[in-house]
Amino acid sequence: MLTYKPPIQDLRFVLFDMLNTESRLAGLPGFEEVDEALIMEIADQAGRFATEILFPLNAVGDHRGCGYQGGQVRTPPGFADAYQRFVDGGWPSLACDVAYGGQGLPGTLHTVLYEMLGACNHAWAMYPVLLRGAYECLTVYASEPLKQQYLPNLVNGKWLATMCLTEPHAGSDLSLLRTRATPQADGTVRVVGSKIFISGGEQDLSENIIHLVLARLPNAPAGSKGLSLFLVPKFIPGRDAPDTRNTITCTGIEQKMGIHGSATCRMEFEEATGWLIGEPHRGLAAMFVMMNATRLAVGIQGVATADVAWQSSLSYAQSRLQMRAATRQTLASTLDRPADPIILHPPVQRLLMIQRAYVEGFRMLAYHIAVMLDEAGGDPDMQQRQQKQGQLSLLTPILKSMAADQAFDGASKALQIFGGHGFITEMGIEQYLRDTRIAMIYEGTNEIQAIDLVVRKVVADKGHQLELLLSELQQLAHGKDEGFMQAECRSLDELADAIRKRVHRIIDGASSDPNLPHQVAPDVLRLIGHGVLAGLWLRAARAARMRIDQDSGFYQEKIDTARYYYRYVLPETSNLLLIIDHALEDVHQRSSHHGLAGVFQFHPRDETQGRGNCGRRILSATPVKAAH
């Protein structure tokens, strides 16, 4: 069966031993009284709500799923009651402005909360997860009357929100969107169009649903530059009359591989009343505020799923008896058994340690980002805020994509440890494998995250922000610590140098071959991501060493896991560097007119040649010759 215990001790270590969160937040306006005791009390309460209320509903949501009839969606049994308890507990308002009824606490606490929720019930957490992004988007871009009318009920959770981007013909390519918005004399617009894959587009949890919709105004420029953002409510709030049902219809819900308890809706806007958010034709800028919040949320989902998988597989490995271990422990309780716990078998230990190194590493990265987000939003020094925003622009796509990858891989490794029992539904781990697969796709596929990082961030600014990050990693590696983990420090220093050299060559090569940064983007993202994780693990080991006399077992495990990461996980970077080097060599060959033996491009089958070619491969690999 699945095992989950809120990682309270690890959270305390990351937030306070490593990141000095209390002192960093205390220097920000409004957070002067936020201390370790308050944060850990909220973390403890969040863990209790998630484990006691949501965890028991996880399998229920998967087995029962959502029902649809006549435009109405019915969530799984217990979901609506759990959401009401969530609202009654004040959880939606945790990190919102007191001016709109919020509690005025740091956004870091929102991250703590959603790690717990995602670990215990990914599908249920999909309903409120967009509240934070919608709140931030409206806070920055909505007019004051719209803020006053809509934010209080979003903050208290009585209303929920959606993000309406995707259309049947347009997935990640927002430039293809066709939904239209026609201005009216009263200042509203009428929205017409179809949207798909809308999480929580219709549900029975909240009194109202606020849809944030990308659409085109008349005579808008073509492509993504012509998109505007609109607030389109399910019910239009009435001042002197009852709320009016807007002309929005859920035409169906998707039958999916996972997250069955989350209603993924097809929505039809039929002359629906809406209001412009921000400036005309600047909708993407406003929507990206929400999307960046959701990308962080996806990264947190990855940490959460990977943690449940790790905890569950560890528990199972400790109790499952199979075969004799190569080296038996001299414990009286095991010597008289016919077999040993599988945790004593080295291949199982390897699966467990890889999981642990990634789970705890990505938790460090998630909270590193969360605290930096609070600083970027509240630091009185504008230069410091801009510097942190620049670093966040690099770290967010890394967390989203690598944590999503690891959640799926971690759940797969956990299933492997469970063996045949893991493949059985009643054990629960196969649900986590199915549920988490979507995280590699939504909120921008992992490939798009890589292109965003490498092309739009690193290449676009000639590596300036990346250089700041690499310099920080090397300063960390050069820190004097009486010889502690010197081999690891050298590895980090050398990796930072290797990243710098490859990135400079990629930037230079992009001018002659624009495909180059796109081709190596996934490899570069993982390469930089490993550099960031290596830096965090070094910080973790140093923090643990300083406190090892307080709890030798816990802190020694941190040091051991840091060393394991460097010795058995970080070597993936050697393969990534080799792949990047091969791509760079190919560019050099093309530019030198030497030809490209062994380098391939894919060419679609020529459909104009008729049915006679149906037996050919649709994609054929042919050498690319250098142009003369």
Side-chain angles (χ1 to χ4, degrees), residues 256-569:
K256 310 184 297 292
M257 173 182 175
I259 53 170
H260 296 156
S262 172
T264 304
C265 302
R266 301 188 292 274
M267 305 297 296
E268 194 71 28
F269 295 83
E270 304 166 294
E271 298 286 343
T273 299
W275 288 264
L276 178 68
I277 302 297
E279 298 178 19
H281 318 315
R282 297 296 303 275
L284 273 186
M287 182 58 86
F288 271 124
V289 172
M290 189 173 188
M291 290 180 69
N292 283 333
T294 56
R295 285 171 179 172
L296 173 59
V298 174
I300 296 300
Q301 287 176 347
V303 174
T305 296
D307 193 22
V308 175
W310 143 251
Q311 290 192 36
S312 298
S313 54
L314 176 64
S315 176
Y316 185 80
Q318 290 170 332
S319 60
R320 176 68 168 169
L321 302 180
Q322 291 285 281
M323 301 176 290
R324 296 289 193 190
T327 302
R328 304 196 71 197
Q329 290 187 344
T330 57
L331 298 177
S333 59
T334 62
L335 289 176
D336 60 347
R337 295 179 181 178
D340 292 320
I342 62 174
I343 197 171
L344 299 183
H345 297 297
V348 174
Q349 293 172 354
R350 181 187 180 98
L351 292 171
L352 289 168
M353 282 304 298
I354 291 173
Q355 287 186 71
R356 179 173 188 164
Y358 274 126
V359 169
E360 296 182 4
F362 283 126
R363 179 174 290 120
M364 296 173 201
L365 178 55
Y367 290 103
H368 176 54
I369 290 174
V371 176
M372 196 183 298
L373 270 170
D374 279 324
E375 291 177 322
D379 196 316
D381 187 331
M382 180 58 70
Q383 185 175 357
Q384 287 295 316
R385 292 172 66 174
Q386 291 175 344
Q387 182 176 339
K388 289 179 171 62
Q389 289 288 359
Q391 293 297 289
L392 287 167
S393 72
L394 301 182
L395 297 177
T396 300
I398 290 172
L399 177 66
K400 187 278 178 189
S401 57
M402 287 188 71
D405 281 342
Q406 181 53 35
F408 186 73
D409 185 65
S412 181
K413 283 182 168 59
L415 194 152
Q416 189 72 13
I417 291 172
F418 275 81
H421 293 288
F423 205 68
I424 303 302
T425 301
E426 66 184 272
M427 295 301 287
I429 195 63
E430 59 83 33
Q431 180 191 340
Y432 275 83
L433 187 69
R434 288 185 288 105
D435 283 355
T436 198
R437 183 59 181 84
I438 187 60
M440 298 158 72
I441 299 173
Y442 61 17
E443 310 313 333
T445 67
N446 285 0
E447 292 73 21
I448 288 175
Q449 299 299 313
I451 291 170
D452 175 62
L453 173 68
V454 176
V455 178
R456 298 171 188 158
K457 309 286 177 58
V458 175
V459 173
D461 80 344
K462 305 298 183 183
H464 173 69
Q465 284 295 336
L466 179 61
E467 179 56 37
L468 296 177
L469 176 61
L470 295 177
S471 297
E472 183 179 327
L473 292 176
Q474 290 188 302
Q475 288 175 12
L476 183 66
H478 297 160
K480 295 180 180 180
D481 201 9
E482 301 176 2
F484 179 66
M485 293 189 72
Q486 286 303 298
E488 288 79 6
C489 289
R490 286 193 300 272
S491 294
L492 178 58
D493 186 43
E494 291 168 2
L495 178 58
D497 261 340
I499 294 171
R500 180 182 291 112
K501 292 175 182 176
R502 269 56 172 205
V503 167
H504 285 166
R505 292 180 63 193
I506 290 167
I507 293 171
D508 292 341
S511 59
S512 60
D513 187 350
N515 279 331
L516 173 63
H518 294 261
Q519 178 186 345
V520 299
D523 310 294
V524 174
L525 182 145
R526 286 195 68 85
L527 189 63
I528 299 172
H530 273 299
V532 172
L533 289 179
L536 289 167
W537 268 119
L538 184 57
R539 290 177 64 179
R542 288 173 174 170
R545 186 188 184 215
M546 292 176 61
R547 296 164 178 81
I548 200 164
D549 58 333
Q550 300 173 18
D551 185 340
S552 59
F554 175 81
Y555 289 113
Q556 186 60 51
E557 285 178 354
K558 285 293 178 193
I559 296 171
D560 292 343
T561 307
R563 288 188 169 128
Y564 188 93
Y565 173 82
Y566 270 90
R567 293 178 66 83
Y568 295 103
V569 181

Side-chain angles (χ1 to χ4, degrees), residues 39-119:
I39 290 174
M40 296 315 301
E41 173 61 24
I42 291 173
D44 185 65
Q45 293 297 327
R48 203 169 306 169
F49 173 84
T51 54
E52 294 177 4
I53 306 302
L54 297 185
F55 207 31
L57 295 175
N58 192 47
V60 174
D62 186 55
H63 296 155
R64 297 289 294 273
C66 293
Y68 172 83
Q69 186 174 11
Q72 302 297 312
V73 170
R74 184 186 68 257
T75 58
F79 271 41
D81 179 65
Y83 184 71
Q84 188 57 53
R85 297 178 72 168
F86 183 70
V87 171
D88 292 343
W91 293 109
S93 65
L94 197 64
C96 298
D97 195 327
V98 293
Y100 302 108
Q103 299 179 48
L105 293 169
T108 299
L109 282 166
H110 184 269
T111 302
V112 172
L113 170 64
Y114 275 86
E115 180 184 346
M116 310 287 193
L117 302 185

